[in-house]
């Protein structure tokens, strides 16, 4: 567990929405080239935690945070931080597939163009093709790159969203229940994709599907009522959880 | 960054525009406002100090608002009830809605010449005694009745829209409960749906009132340019009420137009005084709508 | 056995009930309901055919002048002389010829000028209101926009006449300039520019209200996705939010344009009330020349309605107004049709 330096270091993270405390003193170290799964019952703060990583919670007016999140030893909540730079480093895939209302090609090219307006056409095409290939989508869409992204199936849309994130080459990828809107076949495809991704990225996945968490994660964190109850190697945590509440959750005794 | 700055600038500009208008009107208008100003009739005079007050324009505004609402409300209510509750399955409802929608885009000046031309017809002299005056070449069918009917047409689509929304916002569970008890459709609407929609209906009416009180074009054409009430005097005695309605007068808006340098009255200070009072009325109406809206959402929560 | 009885009871009671009370009430109640429905339907139809009645009436009144003038109604000037002529001759056949080019130009110029302000400052304010505004400022700004939209046009006219017009005549028009132009038109501050400014103040708030609604209802997921990709807030607004809100913004602009075209009183107060066709050859003086719109012509010349020819000419103006507003309404329906989906469409 300690053989490589941690990528993200969360220390005493507490989050409030107005007066409601959504996270309580969460501390956690997340390791590179691995998949970290976050599980827990609905409303326990998983999404909140994830959205702190790329400061997307800044959009919520009532949001307030205490504690530290260091990415590569840099505290991203330092006042002088450029959030845009953080978000380039930390990509995110949402629960509902949300391709932009533009063509498949433009969806993937969009972020690249924005970050590098003077990019050569050939270069851009290479990046788009490469990203679509890595997202396991290329074979399905190579003949219709100019078709609207919204015309794809839900699973394809979700992979398009992943390709869109890969294209801007982040180091960390956050996925908030990426498969909850998908059928089992699409889910399997995404799981396979995630498995390949972990070689080059730090991946954080929120999931409600315990089987999925077991299958894909190297580490698992269990949240309950805003607390990080237990965190450790996936194999250990699933086989013999040290906390009673984790055991109950794994046994299906929670909503 | 430049874009950010431009947006901030335009936002603040909007705020300052309102502040500026309000402060300007207050500064210019406050010193003419007094009890006398409100309670005396306008008098034609070259000396601005002798031009009197705005009593009849205020009366005119209230008359027009009351009558305009009186004509528009039942009509709008019926239309809104039909559209919200009965229109299902009626193939014509699309065109009907389009017609009402287009009506809301018609400029008030078009309603104004329309109304004036219609009611100048001698057969309709019931609405305006001016028409009877054939000897006078300029006999237009102007009167409070004519202008309030025209106003009613103008506000109709707006009132219909907000009432329909209010009716549609009534939870269908209420209706189903009533139908389940064997209550007929119309009685359900009257006893259950309309009472629950009352705040929305009031909002619609108040919005309509604001439009009537703020319109100038229809008043200028259909009520004319005489500042005092021209019906049989004294107008406040009940036997003269009908005559008053069949004759002309003015409202705050036409008073402002008339007194401004663009009109013949040429008493700009008085125009500002009247403008201030008009704006206070309009803002008060808006706050009322606001209050109702907030009250409703509070209750729903 | 007990079950049997229960079944019998439950069948019999309703039958009994309907046969005793239903005998009298049943035929009468639906009849009353039917009558009410028919009355409601009639009133509804009346509200919707009102527009056709107005159109029919206005256009039929306009026909004598439109027929006599033909295309020259649109393509030639001389309205003021035509009008005086028709007034004095009390409407002989020759007096039915009118040229409304300056009025149409005045309408188009004031409206498009105001739209330019709307699409710059107005759009900026809408973006500010829905995307950038600090929380404490949002409510006051929203109320401001609503109150500005509720201010009667005559007050905008009054303010234009007492502030904007004197400002223009004092600071933008020199004595030499007005002397030089005296042959063409009097430059006293009442001008196209004043009209555009006053009109912008009037229709700006209407546009801002619609545009900021459209921006607010642009799907949040797109915004989040774009921000998460590492776009700045501003680039997200430009590339994602505004395109998604496009239909609502266009619908707002169309609605505002309709209001601008039809505005009569305020413009009659500040544009000079002269049927003058500003000449672009004069350079920037173009904006300082007086104009008059179709709508304010009706106000200014209303007393002429007692002469049939003048009345018909005013109705000709009215029918142009009416038709353009009807077209704009229909047009904006096309755009606002997509509003509920946040203006997003598959391309
Ligand atoms: N924008 C917000 N404003 C106020 N409260 C919020 C907001 N977002 C989340 N919360 C609250 O914070 C708590 C945690 O929410 P969060 O979305 O992180 O849960 P979650 O673990 O992701 O649940 P789920 O599995 O259902 O997605 C919830 O109680 C929720 O009500
Ligand atoms: Mg969640």
């Amino acid at each position: 567990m300690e053989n490589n330096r941690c990528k993200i270091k969360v220390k005493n993270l507490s989050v409030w929405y107005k007066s409601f405390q959504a996270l309580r003193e969460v501390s956690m170290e997340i390791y590179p080239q691995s998949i970290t799964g976050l599980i827990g019952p609905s409303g326990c703060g998983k999404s909140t935690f994830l959205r702190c990583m790329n400061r997307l919670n800044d959009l919520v007016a009532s949001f307030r945070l205490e504690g530290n999140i260091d990415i590569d030893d840099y505290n991203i909540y330092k006042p002088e931080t450029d959030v845009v730079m953080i978000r380039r480093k930390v990509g995110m895939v949402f629960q509902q597939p949300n391709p932009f209302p533009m063509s498949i090609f433009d969806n993937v090219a969009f972020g690249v163009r924005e970050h590098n307006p003077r990019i050569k056409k050939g270069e851009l095409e290479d990046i788009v093709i490469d990203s679509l290939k890595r997202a396991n989508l290329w074979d399905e869409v190579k003949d219709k790159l100019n078709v609207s992204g919204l015309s794809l199936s839900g699973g394809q849309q979700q992979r398009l969203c992943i390709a869109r994130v890969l294209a801007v080459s982040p180091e960390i990828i956050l996925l908030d229940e990426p498969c909850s809107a998908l059928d089992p076949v699409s889910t399997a495809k995404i799981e396979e994709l995630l498995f390949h991704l972990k070689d080059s990225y730090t991946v954080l996945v929120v999931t409600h599907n315990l089987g999925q968490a077991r299958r894909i994660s190297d580490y698992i964190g269990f949240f309950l009522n805003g607390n990080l109850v237990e965190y450790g190697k996936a194999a250990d945590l699933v086989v013999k959880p040290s906390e009673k509440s984790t055991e109950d959750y794994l046994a299906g005794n929670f909503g | 960054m430049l874009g950010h700055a431009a947006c901030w600038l335009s936002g603040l500009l909007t705020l300052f525009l309102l502040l500026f208008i309000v402060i300007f009107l207050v500064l210019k208008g406050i010193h003419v406002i007094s009890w006398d100003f409100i309670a005396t009739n306008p008098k034609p005079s070259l000396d601005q100090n002798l031009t009197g007050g705005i009593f009849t324009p205020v009366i005119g505004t209230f008359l027009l608002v009351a009558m305009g609402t009186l004509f528009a409300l039942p009509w709008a209510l019926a239309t809104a009830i039909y559209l919200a509750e009965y229109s299902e399955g009626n193939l014509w409802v699309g065109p009907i809605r389009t017609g009402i929608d287009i009506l809301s885009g018609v400029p008030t000046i078009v309603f104004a010449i329309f109304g004036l031309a219609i009611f100048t017809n001698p057969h309709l002299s019931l609405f305006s005694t001016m028409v009877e005056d054939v000897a006078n070449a300029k006999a237009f069918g102007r009167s409070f009745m004519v202008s309030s009917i025209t106003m009613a047409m103008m506000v109709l689509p707006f009132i219909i829209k907000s009432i329909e929304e209010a009716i549609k916002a009534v939870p269908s569970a209420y209706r189903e409960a009533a139908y389940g008890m064997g209550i007929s459709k119309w009685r359900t609407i009257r006893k259950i749906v309309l009472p629950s929609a009352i705040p929305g209906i009031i909002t619609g009416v108040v919005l309509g009132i604001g439009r009537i009180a703020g319109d100038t074009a229809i008043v200028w054409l259909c009520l004319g340019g005489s500042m005092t009430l021209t019906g049989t005097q004294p107008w406040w005695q009940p036997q003269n009420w009908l005559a008053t309605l069949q004759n002309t007068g003015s409202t705050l808006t036409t008073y402002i137009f008339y007194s401004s340098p663009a009109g013949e009255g040429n008493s700009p200070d008085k125009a500002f005084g009247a403008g201030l009072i008009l704006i206070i009325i309009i803002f008060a109406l808006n706050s009322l709508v606001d209050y109702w809206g907030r009250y409703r959402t509070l209750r729903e929560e | 056995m007990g079950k049997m009885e229960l079944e019998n009871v439950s069948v019999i009671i309703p039958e009994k009930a309907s046969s005793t009370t239903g005998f009298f009430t049943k035929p009468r109640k639906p009849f009353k309901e039917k009558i009410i429905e028919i009355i409601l339907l009639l009133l509804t139809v009346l509200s919707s055919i009102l527009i056709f009645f107005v159109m029919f009436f206005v256009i039929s009144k306009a026909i004598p002048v439109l027929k006599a003038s033909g295309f020259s109604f649109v393509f030639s000037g001389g309205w003021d002389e035509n009008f005086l002529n028709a007034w004095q001759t009390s409407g002989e056949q020759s007096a039915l010829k009118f040229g409304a080019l300056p009025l149409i130009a005045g309408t188009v110029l004031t409206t498009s000028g105001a739209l330019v302000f709307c699409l710059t400052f107005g759009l900026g304010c809408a973006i500010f209101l829905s995307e950038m505004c600090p929380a404490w400022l949002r409510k006051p700004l929203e109320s401001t926009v609503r109150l500005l939209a509720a201010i009667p046009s005559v007050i905008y006219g009054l303010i234009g006449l007492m502030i904007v017009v004197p400002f223009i005549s004092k600071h933008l028009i020199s004595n030499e300039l007005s002397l030089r132009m005296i042959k063409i038109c009097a430059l006293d501050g009442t001008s196209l520019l004043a009209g555009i400014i006053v009109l912008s103040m009037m229709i700006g708030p209407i546009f801002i209200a619609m545009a900021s609604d459209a921006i607010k209802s642009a799907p949040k997921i797109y915004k989040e996705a774009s921000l998460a990709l590492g776009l700045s807030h501003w680039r997200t607004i430009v590339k994602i939010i505004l395109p998604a809100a496009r239909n609502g913004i266009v619908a707002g602009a169309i609605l505002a344009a309709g209001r601008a075209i039809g505005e009569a009183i305020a413009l009659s107060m500040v544009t000079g009330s002269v049927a003058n066709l500003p000449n672009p050859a004069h350079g920037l003086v173009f904006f300082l020349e007086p104009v008059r719109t179709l709508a304010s012509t009706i106000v200014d010349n209303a007393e002429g309605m007692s002469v049939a020819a003048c009345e018909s000419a005013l109705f000709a103006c009215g029918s142009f107004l009416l038709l353009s507003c009807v077209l704009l309404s229909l047009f904006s329906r096309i755009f606002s049709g997509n509003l509920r989906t946040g203006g997003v469409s598959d391309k």
Side-chain angles (χ1 to χ4, degrees), chain B residues 172-190:
Chain B
S172 53
Y174 292 9
R175 288 181 197 106
E176 280 155 18
Y179 294 157
M181 288 157 65
I183 297 175
S184 75
K185 184 162 187 172
W186 172 245
R187 284 194 65 79
T188 305
I189 292 172
R190 239 189 52 199

Side-chain angles (χ1 to χ4, degrees), chain A residues 41-48 50-51 95 176-177 206 208:
Chain A
S42 191
C44 65
K46 305 177 300 286
S47 300
T48 302
L50 210 62
R51 289 160 64 95
Q95 178 172 4
D176 192 351
E177 300 180 37
V206 170
H208 271 295

Side-chain angles (χ1 to χ4, degrees), chain A residues 51 54 56 59 84 87-88 90 92 94 98-102 110 114-115 148 150 164-165 168, chain C residues 135 220-233 235 239-240 244 344-347:
Chain A
R51 289 160 64 95
N54 63 350
L56 213 54
L59 295 183
V84 172
R87 289 176 189 153
R88 288 189 189 186
V90 186
M92 181 157 189
F94 298 82
N98 57 352
F100 297 125
M102 33 174 109
F110 179 73
E114 283 295 321
H115 296 171
S148 164
L150 299 173
R164 177 174 76 184
V165 169
V168 296
Chain C
K220 221 178 167 95
I221 49 169
Y222 293 151
K223 180 183 174 186
E224 290 192 338
S226 168
L227 289 176
L229 270 182
L231 265 73
S232 66
H233 189 194
R235 292 301 294 172
K239 298 293 284 191
I240 297 293
V344 181
S345 56
D346 277 37
K347 254 195 302 182

Side-chain angles (χ1 to χ4, degrees), chain A residues 15-18 20-23 39-51 57 59-63 95 176-177 206-208 223 225-226 249:
Chain A
V15 166
W16 290 263
Y17 294 110
K18 276 224 182 92
F20 172 77
Q21 187 165 9
L23 287 178
I39 57 172
S42 191
C44 65
K46 305 177 300 286
S47 300
T48 302
F49 181 76
L50 210 62
R51 289 160 64 95
N57 271 332
L59 295 183
V60 179
S62 61
F63 170 80
Q95 178 172 4
D176 192 351
E177 300 180 37
V206 170
T207 175
H208 271 295
F223 282 80
N225 295 333
Y249 183 69

Side-chain angles (χ1 to χ4, degrees), chain A residues 178-238:
Chain A
C179 303
S180 68
L182 307 183
D183 65 290
V185 178
S186 309
T187 303
K189 282 191 173 161
I190 303 247
E191 283 181 14
E192 184 195 332
L193 160 63
L194 290 181
F195 210 75
H196 289 301
L197 288 182
K198 81 171 182 187
D199 295 337
S200 9
Y201 304 92
T202 309
V203 180
L204 261 109
V205 190
V206 170
T207 175
H208 271 295
N209 182 336
L210 289 174
Q212 180 174 62
R214 264 177 226 148
R215 282 193 299 273
I216 60 174
S217 351
D218 301 300
Y219 304 95
I220 291 183
F222 172 59
F223 282 80
L224 187 63
N225 295 333
N227 295 301
L228 177 63
V229 176
E230 195 167 355
Y231 176 50
K233 279 237 167 71
D236 303 344
L237 189 131
V238 169

